[in-house]
Amino acid sequence: MEPLSRPQAIIDFCLAPLGLDGSGEGEREVRRRLEHVIKTFQSKASRPLTVDFSNMPSQVINEAAHGYE
């Protein structure tokens, strides 16, 4: 997978597992907010930013440690 730099591409990749259809007002608002956050972060960085999801470590949630047995 190629590293992603466009805010919309990053958002699409992150939301893909949810299987959203794009028709809901809530989804549009989430996308709008995330795009604002990513663009703001990119504008404050001193160099161009990309996200490489192919090197993303797995997250393991230990529910027992949080009392959700």
Side-chain angles (χ1 to χ4, degrees), residues 12 16 19 21 28-29 36-37 43-44 51 62 68:
D12 289 344
D21 63 7
R28 286 192 294 274
E29 181 63 15
H36 175 72
V37 168
S43 72
K44 303 288 183 191
V51 180
N62 182 349
Y68 300 120

Side-chain angles (χ1 to χ4, degrees), residues 10-69:
I10 295 167
I11 294 166
D12 289 344
F13 182 85
C14 290
L15 294 180
L18 298 175
L20 303 171
D21 63 7
S23 65
E25 182 60 34
E27 180 184 352
R28 286 192 294 274
E29 181 63 15
V30 166
R31 287 178 176 277
R32 186 185 71 78
R33 291 178 184 191
L34 287 172
E35 186 170 2
H36 175 72
V37 168
I38 293 168
K39 285 181 176 181
T40 300
F41 185 77
Q42 287 178 331
S43 72
K44 303 288 183 191
S46 60
R47 59 184 173 81
L49 299 173
T50 60
V51 180
D52 186 356
F53 287 103
S54 64
N55 292 325
M56 187 172 67
S58 298
Q59 297 293 319
V60 178
I61 298 172
N62 182 349
E63 292 183 354
H66 298 283
Y68 300 120
E69 299 177 307

